[in-house]
Amino acid sequence: MNIGSKNKKRVVLPSRPDPPSVDQILEDINRAAPNDPVFSILEQTGQDSSRPADSEVESRFQQCRQYLDLNERLQEVRGQLLKQREDLRAAGEQLDRDVAEVQGQTL
């Protein structure tokens, strides 16, 4: 046991404050100046605080669907490739046996 460890006092940290309420968050947003950095970042990224347009939601939905479909297809192809690899390995082993047999017959 370390002698120094007896002399160390345990530091008690204060408890965390409660998270802000929805009303407090809204009040904070409403009090923010128009040139607040958060709003300028949203403008640069093409986002704003309003609800996204239906066409944007539909576009993102279609992108997600395409991703899921492509992912499913990749999983299917992966399974096919694993089977083909196993078939090729088995064919290679059979070929090695056949070559060895032919070599044994010619000697």
Side-chain angles (χ1 to χ4, degrees), residues 9-28:
K9 292 184 178 179
R10 186 171 183 193
V11 177
V12 178
L13 298 175
S15 62
R16 291 184 179 182
D18 292 333
S21 68
V22 173
D23 291 334
Q24 290 171 323
I25 293 171
L26 291 174
E27 181 183 346
D28 188 44

Side-chain angles (χ1 to χ4, degrees), residues 65-77:
R65 291 289 310 174
Q66 290 172 350
Y67 170 79
L68 291 172
D69 291 343
L70 181 59
N71 191 41
E72 184 178 329
R73 178 72 180 126
L74 286 172
Q75 293 300 323
E76 291 171 3
V77 169

Side-chain angles (χ1 to χ4, degrees), residues 7 10 13 44 46 61 73 78 81 84 90 94 96 102:
N7 294 333
R10 186 171 183 193
L13 298 175
Q44 290 171 4
F61 174 77
R73 178 72 180 126
R78 179 180 180 269
L81 287 173
Q84 289 174 349
Q94 182 62 45
D96 289 341
V102 170

Side-chain angles (χ1 to χ4, degrees), residues 1-10:
M1 180 175 214
N2 243 343
I3 295 175
S5 66
K6 290 181 179 180
N7 294 333
K8 291 184 181 178
K9 292 184 178 179
R10 186 171 183 193

Side-chain angles (χ1 to χ4, degrees), residues 2 19-21 23-24 33-34 38 49 68 70 80 82 86 95 97:
N2 243 343
S21 68
D23 291 334
Q24 290 171 323
V38 171
S49 60
L68 291 172
L70 181 59
Q80 292 170 358
L82 290 173
E86 182 59 32
L95 183 61
R97 287 191 296 272

